[in-house]
Amino acid sequence: MGVPALGWLLVQPGVARFSRVCSYDRAGYGWSEVGPKPRTSLQIAKELKVLLDSSGEKGPYILVGHSFGGYNVRMFNALYPSDVAGIVLVEAEHGDEEKRIDALLPAAVNAEEEKHDRRAVAVDRVLTPLSLHLGVERLMTTPGWGADRSFPRDFREELLYLQARTDAAGSAEAKAESASWDEVRSAGNVGDRPLIVLTAGHPYLPDPLLTKEEMDQEKRVWINGLQAEEARLSTRAKQIVVADSGHMIPFERPDSVVSAIHEVWAASRQK
């Protein structure tokens, strides 16, 4: 959510060494036109099906979704199971994350976090339209999750530009996120398709409101609870924890994503 297809730039060449590979911008991202609302995973999956059919790509496909993309991958599988040969979920979202994390934390911490979130939303509502109009947003936007100065300059500049351009699309998806989770939860599991769940070893940034013990609890809930549940969506699934990566695994450890895709690709061919 909020990252254009360019975010797969470090993964795609590695996959291209053994298979045909495509990435795409959802409606409103990159250079894609805006799509109808609400921007739920059900709508997004239907649009992907139309795109694949009209582009002449031949299935079945191995679907790879990062973060919110995990919802969309699961929804596509539910709608078009004969088109899906395997799945890789990369730090895929889980709709119960906030509820389970909040249950761990003291009420005072949750109240302070909520107050901080409300303040941030109010400030963003005022400043973002102005900064976009003045052309400041692209200069101020910093990915903060891996696209630093070690990446080629043209890559960084294009990513920053496209991120600012697609803020509205990400906001529309975020607004419909609860509805998307309801859709995905109703979609059920993925049967016996090969599935790999890639999980970050450092899923959360340090939070000054939390103790080390509370941060460790958060981490355990994410890795051993929520992500482990996603690894039970298939009878042929496994979870791989990428110990040295944060949430943005496609930037921080693209090799691990390529390896997972290759493993699912090989398993689907054997089947």
Side-chain angles (χ1 to χ4, degrees):
M1 187 181 292
V3 183
L6 191 67
W8 294 105
L9 184 70
L10 303 180
V11 171
Q12 195 157 348
V15 181
R17 287 197 288 268
F18 58 86
S19 179
R20 177 165 175 78
V21 54
C22 302
S23 58
Y24 84 108
D25 283 306
R26 296 193 295 272
Y29 281 80
W31 305 111
S32 295
E33 65 272 18
V34 174
K37 294 181 180 179
R39 300 304 301 159
T40 69
S41 290
L42 177 62
Q43 177 66 27
I44 289 166
K46 290 178 178 178
E47 291 171 354
L48 176 56
K49 171 66 171 174
V50 172
L51 173 63
L52 288 167
D53 288 349
S54 60
S55 64
E57 295 298 333
K58 305 298 182 184
Y61 313 102
I62 292 170
L63 302 178
V64 185
H66 172 255
S67 196
F68 175 64
Y71 280 8
N72 305 329
V73 161
R74 291 173 61 182
M75 200 69 237
F76 187 98
N77 176 78
L79 293 174
Y80 315 107
S82 62
D83 286 340
V84 182
I87 295 173
V88 178
L89 296 177
V90 185
E91 267 288 285
E93 283 193 28
H94 191 299
D96 291 337
E97 178 183 6
E98 183 176 357
K99 178 176 67 177
R100 296 214 203 155
I101 294 296
D102 285 352
L104 290 174
L105 305 178
V109 171
N110 287 327
E112 187 63 29
E113 293 274 13
E114 186 175 344
K115 188 195 325 181
H116 177 272
D117 290 344
R118 284 200 304 269
R119 188 184 304 121
V121 168
V123 170
D124 195 52
R125 187 182 302 119
V126 174
L127 292 184
T128 297
L130 178 63
S131 61
L132 283 171
H133 175 70
L134 297 176
V136 175
E137 184 78 2
R138 182 166 67 90
L139 298 175
M140 294 176 60
T141 304
T142 52
W145 22 245
D148 56 25
R149 296 190 180 277
S150 64
F151 290 87
R153 180 177 178 180
D154 58 348
F155 166 79
R156 287 186 283 117
E157 289 183 348
E158 185 176 358
L159 182 62
L160 292 174
Y161 174 78
L162 291 176
Q163 270 191 283
R165 185 181 179 276
T166 58
D167 274 352
S171 296
E173 291 174 345
K175 187 175 181 179
E177 189 172 1
S178 178
S180 290
W181 172 238
D182 289 340
E183 293 168 353
V184 171
R185 186 168 44 193
S186 298
N189 60 35
V190 301
D192 66 347
R193 290 170 183 79
L195 166 68
I196 289 182
V197 174
L198 284 183
T199 303
H202 302 288
Y204 300 112
L205 295 172
D207 189 331
L209 296 176
L210 303 182
T211 66
K212 182 181 183 305
E213 182 181 355
E214 288 166 342
M215 287 189 288
D216 287 342
Q217 284 181 310
E218 275 190 330
K219 181 177 174 180
R220 285 194 294 270
V221 167
W222 178 250
I223 295 175
N224 302 325
L226 299 165
Q227 289 279 287
E229 286 178 14
E230 294 188 342
R232 292 194 288 271
L233 289 170
S234 170
T235 58
R236 300 173 64 198
K238 74 175 182 179
Q239 179 185 14
I240 299 174
V241 178
V242 187
D244 57 350
S245 182
H247 180 62
M248 294 305 294
I249 298 177
F251 283 167
E252 298 176 45
R253 285 291 311 279
D255 59 304
S256 68
V257 184
V258 173
S259 177
I261 295 171
H262 184 271
E263 186 171 339
V264 169
W265 173 81
S268 67
R269 287 164 65 88
Q270 289 172 1
K271 182 181 178 182

